[in-house]
Amino acid sequence: MGTLGIEEEFYVVDEFGRPTSGTDELVYETEPPAVLDGRLDHELFKCVIETQTPRIDDPADAGDHLRSVRDALVDHAEANGFDIAAAGLHPLAKWRELEHAEKPRYKSQLDRIQYPQHRNTTAGLHVHVGVDDADKAVWVANELRWHLPLMLALSANSPYWNGFDTGLQSARGKIFEALPNTGMPTAFDDYDAFETYERRMLETGSIDDRGELWFDVRPHSGHGTVEVRAPDGQADPDRVLAFVEYVYELVVDLAERYEDGESGRRLRREFLDENKWRAIRHGQSAELLSRDLSTTRSVEELVEIESDRLGIDGLWKLYDRESGAERQRRLRSAEGVMALADSLRLS
């Protein structure tokens, strides 16, 4: 209970900051630094690479592990002639011009899903928190659903897709939702119900493996965790750690509530989808439906409520700064696309 794991998806970019094929070289053709051994993988496009931290037993160590993995990735990329960038969608990524990975898993997905997967140039942040009981994990995942739009609003970092301004704060949220088994999940009564669903999806050929249940939150039956997948990718590690803090404290708090016999909120998915849409469209300026769905509250109000309730300060650090989407638009308007691309690089 309470262990952590952090997965991040990044873009491999060239000297001009443009996404480029590089995962073959970085994952298969060269030996990565020891800290990345077994913790480096490619994604659907050859320009997207994923890292995983080791299991983190003490949340106070999350920052050291995250920075160690990131530094190793940047060094590894630079040694092979590449740079690394992060965002929910890279503003210079044009899916028709980018190469897909040749891994059989992704070839199968492209053949089965077609257009939505062919254009899926997204990159996100995934936070795992260990939960020591399967029914508890399902209950916690159910309750986490209301919190996901707040995370997305604060992480919104993808206004551009395929070279144009979408008018959204997190276009990644909509692009990724075009895939099956994504977005806001329904609530499950217990782990047996979730396992039955997962097994039926496999038996009917709806998915090739359980990793293809790409919901914004899920009990991960392979790792024994609850996995939150809502936030856009971030270049700044401090922003990532703010989300890690929030997810960790939420899971621990909800686990204790479950143990105390608290009854869950059986919120309709349609209301949660409305909140997610508001986060996608308006980001930090969104007015989100309150937990009892009786009114709306600003992101600022919700940050105050959640920060006071859980005794955390990371959410304020996110809210008080210019959002990723706002920063991208400002830089592109004032300094041009090269400055925008440069701002997304990891240093």
Side-chain angles (χ1 to χ4, degrees), residues 240-309:
V240 173
L241 291 170
F243 289 111
V244 171
E245 176 191 50
Y246 186 40
V247 172
Y248 174 82
E249 293 297 341
L250 275 175
V251 171
V252 170
D253 176 69
L254 288 168
E256 291 173 352
R257 291 171 182 270
Y258 174 85
E259 291 164 3
D260 290 341
E262 184 174 311
S263 58
R265 288 181 169 87
R266 304 296 287 187
L267 300 177
R268 289 188 63 91
R269 180 175 175 176
E270 292 87 347
F271 290 119
L272 300 172
D273 284 339
E274 171 62 19
N275 263 359
K276 182 176 181 182
W277 163 247
R278 291 175 180 223
I280 286 170
R281 175 64 181 87
H282 300 292
Q284 290 186 181
S285 301
E287 294 275 335
L288 301 178
L289 302 177
S290 60
R291 290 183 73 176
D292 63 4
L293 307 177
S294 65
T295 186
T296 60
R297 293 188 181 275
S298 68
V299 168
E300 182 179 16
E301 288 178 289
L302 294 174
V303 165
E304 181 175 9
I305 292 169
E306 291 296 280
S307 297
D308 290 347
R309 186 175 68 85

Side-chain angles (χ1 to χ4, degrees), residues 206-219:
S206 302
I207 57 176
D208 287 340
D209 59 71
R210 60 191 170 192
E212 291 182 355
L213 298 179
W214 294 305
F215 298 113
D216 291 346
V217 62
R218 63 186 181 185

Side-chain angles (χ1 to χ4, degrees), residues 74-82:
V74 170
D75 290 345
H76 183 45
E78 289 179 349
N80 287 278
F82 302 106

Side-chain angles (χ1 to χ4, degrees), residues 69-141:
V69 167
R70 281 173 160 239
D71 289 346
L73 176 62
V74 170
D75 290 345
H76 183 45
E78 289 179 349
N80 287 278
F82 302 106
D83 286 331
I84 300 296
L89 290 166
H90 198 288
L92 303 186
K94 296 186 177 181
W95 64 269
R96 293 179 179 87
E97 301 171 3
L98 295 167
E99 291 185 292
H100 292 118
E102 297 168 12
K103 192 174 181 179
R105 180 175 190 257
Y106 294 120
K107 286 187 174 182
S108 172
Q109 290 174 8
L110 288 165
D111 182 63
R112 175 162 39 92
I113 300 171
Q114 291 294 315
Y115 172 69
Q117 188 70 321
H118 278 272
R119 67 174 192 164
N120 180 26
T121 57
T122 61
L125 164 65
H126 307 155
V127 182
H128 291 259
V129 182
V131 178
D132 56 0
D133 175 82
D135 286 335
K136 185 193 303 182
V138 169
W139 191 90
V140 168

